[in-house]
């Protein structure tokens, strides 16, 4: 089954404690990205990757890091989380170009106390 | 800059009636794509329908249709014969760059279907 998986689904942490949210896709997609969803703002792109070892900032990259060492995996790293990073996070993947649907993971609900 | 605007934060519709969710967009690109996603209370993003800027016919997928008016830069979602399971948040999105994969989202519309 074609899918994007994310872990954990729910996470409560404290300010400053480093965390990683994993993302994996099994569709051999080149393009992967992370979005955060906040009420009234819709989803906004944090970082994206167009292929292995190729990553770039999206619209709201501050406080986040990513890596793309393998095509299927695209982890999101919060080195020192802060309360304003409390949000719902989505990983997504798609084929580059064309009119292709973006496949979303199930979401990770993060609370930073 | 590209932008998606959804002006209806919340809407109610009676079961079995049709409902239109508004979406306007702004872009200087000649080629672009427009998407609608559904987000139920469980949180996942469910793809509903897609319209390409050069598609001459409005897209349809079952009970969903997209009323695409290019000159007005609108891409409204029409849900026919609403069901209780249609209660959810709905997002309109536009593909940000022809060779990329970024989606630009609107603020969302929360639809509630009344029995």
């Amino acid at each position: 089954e074609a899918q994007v998986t994310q872990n954990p689904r729910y996470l409560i942490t404290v300010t400053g404690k480093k965390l990683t949210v994993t993302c994996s896709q099994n569709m051999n997609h080149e393009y992967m990205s992370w979005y955060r969803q906040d009420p009234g703002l819709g989803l906004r792109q944090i970082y994206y990757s167009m292929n292995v070892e190729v990553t770039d900032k999206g619209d709201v990259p501050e406080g986040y890091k990513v890596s793309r060492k393998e095509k299927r995996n695209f982890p999101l790293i919060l080195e020192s989380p802060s309360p304003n990073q409390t949000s719902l996070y989505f990983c997504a993947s798609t084929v580059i170009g064309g009119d292709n649907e973006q496949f979303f993971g199930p979401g990770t609900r993060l609370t930073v106390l | 800059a590209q932008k998606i605007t959804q002006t209806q934060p919340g809407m109610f519709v009676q079961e079995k009636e049709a409902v239109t969710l508004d979406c306007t967009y702004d872009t200087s690109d000649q080629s672009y794509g427009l998407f609608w996603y559904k987000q139920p209370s469980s949180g996942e993003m469910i793809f509903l329908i897609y319209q390409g800027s050069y598609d001459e016919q409005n897209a349809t997928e079952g009970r969903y249709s997209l009323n695409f008016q290019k000159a007005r830069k609108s891409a409204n979602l029409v849900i026919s014969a609403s069901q209780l399971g249609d209660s959810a948040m709905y997002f309109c999105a536009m593909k940000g760059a022809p060779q990329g994969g970024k989606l630009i989202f609107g603020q969302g519309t929360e639809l509630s279907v009344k029995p």
Side-chain angles (χ1 to χ4, degrees):
Chain A
E1 179 191 355
Q3 62 181 351
V4 179
T5 57
Q6 289 177 234
N7 282 291
R9 295 289 312 280
Y10 302 90
L11 180 59
I12 300 174
T13 190
V14 295
T15 299
K17 187 176 181 182
K18 181 180 178 180
L19 67 92
T20 299
V21 184
T22 64
C23 172
S24 184
Q25 51 95 4
N26 63 1
M27 294 165 280
N28 203 37
H29 286 164
E30 306 96 344
Y31 192 99
M32 297 186 73
S33 57
W34 279 98
Y35 295 86
R36 62 177 287 173
Q37 181 183 351
D38 301 292
L41 298 177
L43 282 75
R44 294 175 294 167
Q45 191 183 55
I46 302 170
Y47 266 95
Y48 68 94
S49 168
M50 296 186 78
N51 214 323
V52 175
E53 302 292 0
V54 180
T55 64
D56 206 347
K57 296 177 181 179
D59 297 319
V60 287
E62 293 76 21
Y64 304 95
K65 286 175 58 176
V66 293
S67 68
R68 188 97 180 267
K69 293 185 171 59
E70 305 165 284
K71 197 172 185 179
R72 64 184 293 126
N73 296 325
F74 190 47
L76 178 70
I77 303 156
L78 284 72
E79 295 266 2
S80 183
S82 63
N84 65 11
Q85 293 178 298
T86 293
S87 188
L88 178 58
Y89 292 86
F90 288 99
C91 180
S93 73
T94 188
V95 175
I96 289 178
D99 304 324
N100 301 290
E101 174 190 347
Q102 190 124 175
F103 290 81
F104 283 86
T108 295
R109 194 169 291 278
L110 173 65
T111 301
V112 183
L113 302 175
Chain B
Q2 292 158 315
K3 187 178 180 181
I4 293 282
T5 302
Q6 294 179 254
T7 57
Q8 305 155 313
M11 287 191 71
F12 289 92
V13 65
Q14 206 67 37
E15 194 179 7
K16 300 180 185 177
E17 292 186 350
V19 63
T20 298
L21 307 184
D22 293 342
C23 172
T24 58
Y25 61 91
D26 190 18
T27 182
S28 56
D29 291 335
Q30 296 301 308
S31 176
Y32 50 89
L34 295 155
F35 301 76
W36 277 92
Y37 283 84
K38 173 184 178 182
Q39 186 181 47
S41 58
S42 51
E44 71 268 30
M45 296 290 285
I46 301 169
F47 167 73
L48 294 179
I49 196 166
Y50 168 81
Q51 179 83 42
S53 58
Y54 289 115
D55 293 340
E56 296 195 351
Q57 300 219 343
N58 286 342
T60 60
E61 289 287 348
R63 294 186 299 111
Y64 304 107
S65 61
L66 201 152
N67 184 0
F68 182 48
Q69 298 188 43
K70 198 170 181 177
R72 298 181 61 185
K73 294 190 173 180
S74 74
N76 298 338
L77 177 71
V78 180
I79 305 174
S80 63
S82 297
Q83 303 172 355
L84 296 178
D86 293 333
S87 294
M89 183 73 83
Y90 289 82
F91 289 100
C92 180
M94 176 168 60
K95 195 168 183 187
Q99 295 308 313
K102 175 182 176 180
L103 288 178
I104 296 164
F105 284 83
Q107 307 93 318
T109 295
E110 185 164 10
L111 177 67
S112 298
V113 180
K114 294 181 175 181

